[in-house]
Amino acid sequence: MTMFTNGFSTLQMPEDFEAINAKDEFTELYLVNTKIPMSIKFSTTPTLVGLPDIKADIERNVTANERINVIGSDFMLINDKIYYVIITSFSDGENQVRRNEFLYVEDNNLYIFEFTYPYADRDLDDFYLNIIRSLKISVPKYIVENGEYRINNEEK
């Protein structure tokens, strides 16, 4: 079992996935497995709002896009923490793609897991829940004060 850590968060990386360089400052880990095929993205962003506001914004944006179909959207308890979960599907013209997103807020930091794959498979529930359950937060990555954010320089 391989572990990912950035000094702020640690989580289990599944076997047979390859890390890809992230293109934005908030993506901590981006993994792909071309054999399944599936991608996993883990991000951390600063936030001043809670999950109810995040849920409302996401649902408003998703329903405005007619190419995206919402399969499910609700709050879920994982490791005694409340996550917002949204499961969507969309078509790229040739393939139907499914995305399961799990969002969690702690200390003004929003943690996002995205699992994207081209089919619906209930057998994957334990697969992605085990990755989410492995998340350990040492310290918040971002400090949010006065409408601005900065990287946390606390001891990790």
Side-chain angles (χ1 to χ4, degrees):
M1 171 185 333
T2 306
M3 299 300 281
F4 160 80
T5 187
N6 62 2
F8 302 99
S9 304
T10 302
L11 59 94
Q12 175 183 325
M13 293 187 343
E15 292 181 22
D16 300 325
F17 277 76
E18 179 182 339
I20 304 293
N21 286 336
K23 303 258 191 267
D24 66 79
E25 71 174 299
F26 300 117
T27 299
E28 308 293 341
L29 180 65
Y30 187 73
L31 302 170
V32 295
N33 182 329
T34 55
K35 294 175 191 150
I36 296 179
M38 175 187 272
S39 68
I40 301 170
K41 182 177 172 184
F42 172 66
S43 306
T44 306
T45 65
T47 186
L48 287 173
V49 299
L51 285 179
D53 290 333
I54 292 168
K55 177 182 185 285
D57 283 347
I58 289 174
E59 288 177 353
R60 186 173 31 259
N61 290 332
V62 168
T63 55
N65 187 335
E66 58 194 42
R67 291 181 53 202
I68 298 175
N69 178 36
V70 176
I71 297 166
S73 172
D74 207 348
F75 294 102
M76 174 185 228
L77 192 64
I78 303 173
N79 285 357
D80 297 327
K81 295 177 169 62
I82 300 204
Y83 281 75
Y84 166 59
V85 181
I86 183 163
I87 301 167
T88 57
S89 67
F90 57 93
S91 175
D92 65 4
E94 294 180 22
N95 301 307
Q96 190 73 8
V97 178
R98 183 176 172 121
R99 178 179 292 145
N100 295 4
E101 295 178 74
F102 296 79
L103 299 90
Y104 169 68
V105 173
E106 182 177 309
D107 294 326
N108 295 330
N109 282 244
L110 171 62
Y111 301 90
I112 307 166
F113 290 90
E114 291 179 25
F115 301 88
T116 306
Y117 47 99
Y119 49 85
D121 188 348
R122 297 216 31 98
D123 292 337
L124 288 173
D125 289 355
D126 283 336
F127 171 80
Y128 52 75
L129 287 175
N130 286 336
I131 296 169
I132 294 167
R133 288 181 185 121
S134 76
L135 176 65
K136 304 289 183 253
I137 301 167
S138 303
V139 295
K141 181 174 182 177
Y142 298 103
I143 301 295
V144 181
E145 297 174 320
N146 303 321
E148 297 180 349
Y149 70 90
R150 61 181 165 80
I151 298 285
N152 186 353
N153 291 319
E154 282 184 39
E155 283 296 312
K156 301 170 211 150

